[in-house]
């Protein structure tokens, strides 16, 4: 299964502090930015580059630059918003779309309440959502993206559960998932264990 787990001492350090229930929202937001930056770099490691010849102060050299192939990042609202800025900071031509999905607190089934997307045809799309729990939200978001003809769609998360990975694989086989951690399981209320709690609430102090 194409699940890539971020393997870097700094990622482990940041994730441990994100998991810590005493971490306050301001620090939580900073840590989310930092970990998402590592994930943005990791998840774009194979995008196309092309030759560019330039003059250094000493001589001519041919280097590599990103090919013209604007990327699209799509956060699943609201928690996914905490992962957008690293993509817009390092990829100046990135387009941003939005999908609003909210889990029902009783059933844990996600309901769609918003969707605003740029053209996706032929483009690399990165769906960002920190928590892949039952996989219901991710599958709905992938359904929406794939109907619009992108070149490919990747899922970038901070914590994934085995159940969520299996659900994505069942409905969208072969989807590449980048995550900072693959946790143990879901609890009876469909929260990830050990997880980090409700990401959106911790990000926004609600
Ligand atoms: C959280 C999280 C994911 C979803 C994951 O969002 O950000 O979108 O749950 O759960 P699933 O894999 O079981 O679908 P939530 O619905 O709590 O909304 P929020 O981002 O507005 O807090
Ligand atoms: N959403 C969260 O924010 N956390 C979980 O553990 C599961 C879904």
């Amino acid at each position: 299964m194409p699940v890539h787990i971020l393997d870097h001492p700094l990622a482990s350090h940041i994730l441990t502090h994100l998991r810590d229930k005493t971490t306050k929202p301001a620090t939580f937001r900073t840590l989310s930015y930092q970990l998402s930056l590592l994930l943005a770099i990791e998840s774009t490691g194979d995008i196309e580059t092309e030759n560019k010849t330039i003059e250094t102060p000493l001589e001519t050299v041919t280097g590599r630059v990103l090919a013209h192939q604007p990327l699209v990042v799509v956060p699943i609202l609201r928690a996914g918003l905490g992962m957008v800025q690293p993509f817009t900071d390092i990829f100046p031509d990135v387009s941003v779309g939005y999908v609003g999905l909210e889990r029902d607190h009783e059933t844990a089934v996600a309901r769609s309440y918003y969707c605003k997307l740029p053209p996706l045809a032929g483009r690399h799309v990165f769906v960002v959502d920190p928590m892949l729990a039952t996989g219901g939200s991710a599958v709905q978001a992938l359904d929406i993206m794939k109907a619009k003809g992108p070149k490919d769609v990747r899922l970038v998360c901070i914590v994934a559960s085995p159940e969520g990975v299996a659900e994505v694989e069942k409905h969208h086989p072969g989807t590449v998932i980048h995550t900072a951690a693959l946790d143990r399981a879901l609890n009876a209320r469909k929260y990830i264990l050990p997880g980090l709690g409700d990401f959106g609430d911790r990000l926004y102090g609600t």
Side-chain angles (χ1 to χ4, degrees):
M1 210 175 284
V3 179
H4 301 262
I5 301 171
L6 196 55
D7 182 18
H8 192 289
L10 184 57
S12 308
H13 172 87
I14 296 168
L15 181 60
T16 299
H17 288 291
L18 270 180
R19 289 189 193 277
D20 186 339
K21 68 178 184 184
T22 67
T23 299
K24 301 239 172 352
T27 307
F28 194 90
R29 284 191 285 274
T30 303
L31 295 169
S32 299
Y33 175 91
Q34 293 170 344
L35 194 49
S36 302
L37 180 58
L38 295 174
L39 283 163
I41 293 167
E42 180 77 9
S43 63
T44 53
D46 60 350
I47 59 170
E48 296 90 339
T49 57
E50 60 191 19
N51 280 345
K52 182 175 171 68
T53 303
I54 51 98
E55 304 286 333
T56 78
L58 301 173
E59 61 181 21
T60 302
V61 68
T62 300
R64 304 287 294 171
V65 294
L66 296 180
H68 184 68
Q69 34 139 31
L71 310 180
V72 182
V73 60
V74 180
I76 299 182
L77 306 178
R78 106 200 113 137
L81 283 175
M83 300 179 72
V84 173
Q85 201 189 330
F87 282 87
T88 55
D89 280 352
I90 60 176
F91 296 106
D93 294 332
V94 70
S95 303
V96 184
Y98 298 91
V99 172
L101 291 166
E102 185 179 33
R103 291 201 327 173
D104 182 281
H105 281 292
E106 300 303 320
T107 63
V109 175
R111 169 188 74 87
S112 167
Y113 61 89
Y114 187 74
C115 184
K116 183 106 177 167
L117 296 169
L120 303 186
R123 299 168 83 177
H124 294 291
V125 177
F126 297 81
V127 173
V128 298
D129 187 342
M131 307 305 279
L132 177 62
T134 65
S137 304
V139 167
Q140 280 195 49
L142 289 165
D143 290 343
I144 296 167
M145 303 305 133
K146 291 200 172 172
K148 296 188 180 295
K151 189 169 191 174
D152 62 25
V153 187
R154 294 171 194 191
L155 195 57
V156 185
C157 21
I158 287 179
V159 180
S161 72
E163 294 90 333
V165 169
E167 186 72 1
V168 170
E169 181 64 13
K170 180 174 154 196
H171 292 274
H172 293 286
T175 300
V176 171
I177 301 174
H178 288 270
T179 184
L182 183 59
D183 275 9
R184 192 174 76 247
L186 298 179
N187 70 8
R189 294 182 56 229
K190 309 296 185 196
Y191 275 78
I192 300 174
L193 298 173
L196 48 73
D198 188 308
F199 198 99
D201 283 351
R202 297 195 61 194
L203 188 69
Y204 295 117
T206 50

